[in-house]
Structures are given as C-alpha cells and as structure tokens.
C-alpha cells in the first residue's frame, strides 16, 4: 500500500472517530471508566490468487469511545465503512502472504441502569431504528414454539420491564452453557426451543432472550463483540492478562439489550450467568451467582467491547458466502473459499489487548 493511501485511510477513520453516535436512548452513563489498547494482526497462510478480508471494528457509542486507530499491510484496495456495521475491508491480488495489522484504543464506561428512575411509557411510538428489532429474522423467529414459550413465561405479566425481567430470569436459570458448541453458536432460536435441549453458547442463549422478548412485542437485539480485560465478578466473564497482555483471539462474546418505551435500551447478559454457573460449578441459588444474575439485568461491566448488531446480513463488498449469521469474528476468503474464522491459528490471526 502506498504511504499516501495509508495516511488517507487513517484520516478517514480519525474523522469518523470524532463523532460518537448516541444509541442509549434516555440512559445515562454513570459507571467506571477503563481504557484498553488493542492490536489485531492477520497473516493469511493459505495460498491463492485473490484474498479478501472483512474485519469488524468497534462501534462508537456513549459508553465506548474509540481513538488512535491505525492500520497497515500489503493489501491493494482497503476501504472503511463506519456505518451501522463498522468494517475494514482489504483486498489482495497476487500477494504471497497477505497481512493486515490494526491498532486502536478504546475508552469504556460501565453501563448501569438505575431502575428507581426508569419510567415506562407504553405510548411511545418507536422510530424505524428501534422498530426493526421487533421483526423476525432467519435465526430469530418469533412465531410457533417461540411465541408459545414466550407466552408461557411472560404472557400473564403486565408491563414490558416486568416481562423482560421474567424472560431474562427464565433464560439465565434454565438454559445451560455447552462448551462443545463451535464458536459462539448459531443462535437458531426455533431449533433450540424445538429440540428440548436448552443449551448452547453466548449467541444461542442471548438470542433466545431476544426472540422471546420480540414475541412479546418488546424490541431486543444481540450485540457481537470481544472480551478485552479482567472482570471483577468472575474470571469466566473477562480476559485475564499474561505479562500485562490479554490474548483475546478466542474471546469473542455476544451480549443483548432490550428497549423499554419511555426510557431506552437496557443491557443484559443471561449467557454469562450460565457461563459462570458452569465454569465455577455453582447452583442457581448460590449467593455469588445470584449477585451476578441481578447485576447482568440492567448492567454491563465494560471489560468487553462491542462491534455491531448484525444478523443475517451481507458484507460489503459482497463475499462468496452471504448472508452471514453474525459478524463477531474476522471473515476472509481465498479464491472464493471461506477461511475458518473459528480457528485463529489456521486463519491466521492474533488479537491482543492491554489495559492502559
């Protein structure tokens, strides 16, 4: 890549970074601030004539500020899309070992919800940016067994906050973490509920929460991201450093939110309740798990950063495989063949984080 192209693309990112988006509705950020430096390094070992890479970049929000982003490599045609699904694309033609190195800093603010100040307004008219998270998708179906289970859990409860809390508690207490599932799981809710095996990983578990909420007319969504630092609650919820650096190539994690009319988006993470329960061999009534379960309804500890809300969408420029289920991992192709993004060693990529 020419130096002028590198400077141009870095300048484009710098301009984007200066304008944070606001997606929290009426919620105010009041939590602890942390800062991390990340390096995302890619070196494609598979040989071919044409290589293409799509890398998820972190969202810019009121609780997540991104700065000092730089990238370099031996690519031919890089491009940056900092829209709804922030993406860095790089193409290579006739390059023996394609490389792409990305560095940036993230300042995070813990998300906390003061439920004593939360007010529900059932008459709020949802804008299209929220209303779309009421709709079904290929993986998030809201009819049949999904609607039946949703009504069983929350159908007789009044108030969207109370319905969402009941769904969250059921998911956190009933679903089981299954470490044998590949990656973060597919999040095919109808298949999970129909199978009778209420288990999976973070995308599976949080997608069940999202679908059950949507079936009650409550907007909800998953957010795909990656763990970047230690958790004060449990080692299961963080990325522990070694010699000051957290090796996070396999630390991808999905979280969730629901929208309360009159207030805004409220963070949740029932999947991490199940992860701690399994990893620390706790029961649902254990005092530590109870504390974590209560915290993760309305709060996010920001030892994690979020990339996007994408489900069942097509990357740009269009890859050979589309649509993709979600975009928490790097996606790459060599001569139209998809690289194994679940295997950092084979892909290959090395992701690291350091708390600043």
């Amino acid at each position: 890549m020419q130096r002028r192209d590198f400077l141009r693309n870095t300048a484009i990112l710098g301009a984007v970074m200066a304008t944070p988006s606001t997606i929290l509705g009426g919620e105010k950020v009041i939590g602890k601030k942390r800062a991390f430096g990340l390096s995302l390094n890619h070196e494609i070992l598979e040989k071919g004539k044409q290589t293409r890479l799509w890398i998820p970049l972190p969202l810019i929000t009121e609780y997540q500020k991104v700065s000092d982003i730089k990238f370099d490599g031996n690519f031919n045609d890089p491009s940056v899309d900092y829209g709804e699904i922030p993406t860095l694309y790089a193409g290579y033609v006739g390059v023996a070992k394609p490389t792409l190195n990305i560095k940036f800093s993230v300042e995070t603010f813990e998300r906390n919800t003061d439920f004593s100040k939360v007010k529900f307004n059932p008459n709020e008219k949802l804008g299209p940016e929220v209303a779309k998270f009421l709709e079904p998708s290929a993986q998030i179906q809201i009819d049949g067994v999904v609607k039946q289970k949703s009504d069983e859990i929350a159908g007789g409860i009044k108030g969207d906050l109370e319905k969402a809390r009941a769904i969250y508690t059921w998911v956190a207490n009933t679903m089981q973490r299954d470490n044998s599932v590949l990656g973060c799981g597919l999040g095919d809710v109808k298949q999970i509920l129909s199978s009778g095996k209420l288990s999976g990983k973070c995308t599976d578990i949080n997608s069940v929460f999202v679908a059950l909420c949507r079936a009650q007319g409550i907007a909800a969504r998953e957010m795909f991201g990656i763990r970047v630092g230690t958790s004060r609650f449990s080692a299961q919820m963080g990325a522990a450093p070694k010699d000051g650096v957290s090796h996070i190539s396999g630390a991808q994690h999905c979280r969730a939110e629901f929208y309360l009319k009159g207030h805004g988006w409220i963070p949740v993470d029932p999947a991490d309740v199940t992860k701690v329960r399994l990893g620390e061999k706790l029961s649902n009534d254990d005092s530590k798990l109870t504390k974590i379960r209560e915290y993760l309804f309305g709060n996010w500890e920001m030892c994690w950063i979020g990339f996007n809300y994408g489900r069942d969408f097509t990357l740009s420029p269009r890859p050979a495989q589309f649509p993709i289920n979600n975009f928490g991992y790097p996606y790459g192709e060599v001569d139209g063949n998809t690289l194994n993004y679940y295997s950092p060693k084979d892909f290959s990529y090395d992701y690291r984080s350091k708390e600043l």
Side-chain angles (χ1 to χ4, degrees):
M1 179 179 61
Q2 298 294 324
R3 176 174 171 80
R4 63 177 179 272
D5 294 328
F6 171 74
L7 294 174
R8 181 194 66 202
N9 284 287
T10 302
I12 290 171
L13 282 170
V16 173
M17 298 297 167
T19 310
S21 60
T22 55
I23 63 170
L24 292 180
E27 181 182 350
K28 292 184 178 180
V29 176
I30 59 175
K32 178 183 177 182
K33 180 173 74 172
R34 299 174 73 172
F36 302 90
L38 275 79
S39 63
L40 314 180
N41 300 314
H42 312 79
E43 182 180 27
I44 308 307
L45 305 179
E46 185 171 328
K47 296 180 180 180
K49 295 180 180 179
Q50 183 184 45
T51 298
R52 300 199 293 168
L53 296 177
W54 293 257
I55 311 300
L57 297 174
L59 276 173
I60 306 167
T61 72
E62 292 180 6
Y63 56 85
Q64 182 172 285
K65 314 282 186 170
V66 187
S67 62
D68 302 324
I69 189 162
K70 299 175 182 178
F71 64 97
D72 61 22
N74 53 7
F75 38 76
N76 304 118
D77 57 341
S79 64
V80 176
D81 180 354
Y82 234 99
E84 187 175 0
I85 300 177
T87 307
L88 194 160
Y89 168 78
Y92 309 76
V93 178
V95 177
K97 285 188 177 182
T99 62
L100 174 61
N101 305 303
I102 308 168
K103 291 185 178 181
F104 56 87
S105 298
V106 181
E107 190 175 68
T108 67
F109 299 84
E110 184 167 329
R111 289 183 67 179
N112 302 123
T113 304
D114 184 348
F115 285 105
S116 69
K117 298 179 180 178
V118 170
K119 295 182 179 180
F120 174 50
N121 177 12
N123 299 316
E124 179 187 344
K125 184 177 180 181
L126 299 180
E129 72 282 358
V130 175
K132 65 183 180 181
F133 294 109
L134 283 166
E135 299 299 320
S137 69
Q139 311 296 329
I140 308 296
Q141 295 296 319
I142 58 176
D143 60 352
V145 67
V146 182
K147 176 62 172 170
Q148 181 182 346
K149 179 57 68 175
S150 181
D151 286 344
E152 178 185 318
I153 297 166
I157 297 174
K158 292 184 178 180
D160 284 2
L161 180 59
E162 292 74 15
K163 286 176 179 285
R165 189 185 294 274
I167 291 168
Y168 167 86
T169 302
W170 181 88
V171 172
N173 285 347
T174 307
M175 294 200 68
Q176 304 292 319
R177 166 90 175 183
D178 182 354
N179 285 331
S180 70
V181 170
L182 188 64
C184 290
L186 297 177
D188 185 338
V189 176
K190 188 170 283 189
Q191 188 279 326
I192 292 169
L193 294 179
S194 298
S195 71
K197 185 182 179 183
L198 302 176
S199 63
K201 280 193 178 173
C202 55
T203 300
D204 301 310
I205 294 165
N206 284 334
S207 292
V208 169
F209 170 82
V210 166
L212 294 176
C213 281
R214 290 187 190 180
Q216 289 298 306
I218 302 170
R221 62 192 182 186
E222 308 93 325
M223 190 175 191
F224 300 92
I226 193 165
R227 304 182 198 271
V228 292
T230 56
S231 165
R232 69 181 185 270
F233 292 100
S234 170
Q236 299 292 323
M237 296 167 59
K242 182 178 181 181
D243 297 327
V245 176
S246 295
H247 296 259
I248 60 171
S249 300
Q252 288 80 6
H253 178 56
C254 163
R255 287 179 168 179
E257 298 173 306
F258 70 95
Y259 189 87
L260 186 68
K261 293 179 179 179
H263 176 72
W265 290 103
I266 293 178
V268 298
D269 192 353
D272 259 0
V273 179
T274 71
K275 190 172 192 287
V276 173
R277 186 176 61 223
L278 176 65
E280 298 194 17
K281 298 180 173 59
L282 304 177
S283 64
N284 279 335
D285 58 0
D286 183 277
S287 60
K288 179 175 182 177
L289 195 68
T290 298
K291 180 180 178 181
I292 290 172
R293 184 172 56 241
E294 290 174 353
Y295 172 84
L296 288 174
F297 184 82
N299 305 281
W300 278 355
E301 183 188 18
M302 292 305 292
C303 52
W304 166 96
I305 61 172
F307 293 139
N308 58 73
Y309 303 103
R311 291 302 300 266
D312 306 307
F313 72 100
T314 300
L315 289 164
S316 180
R318 192 171 77 177
Q321 177 183 323
F322 64 92
I324 65 169
N325 185 318
N326 58 69
F327 192 35
Y329 292 82
Y331 178 85
E333 296 177 346
V334 176
D335 293 341
N337 297 313
T338 303
L339 297 171
N340 181 7
Y341 39 82
Y342 292 132
S343 175
K345 182 179 179 180
D346 295 327
F347 191 96
S348 66
Y349 58 89
D350 180 30
Y351 288 6
R352 302 187 183 197
S353 171
K354 183 175 184 178
E355 186 148 12
L356 304 177

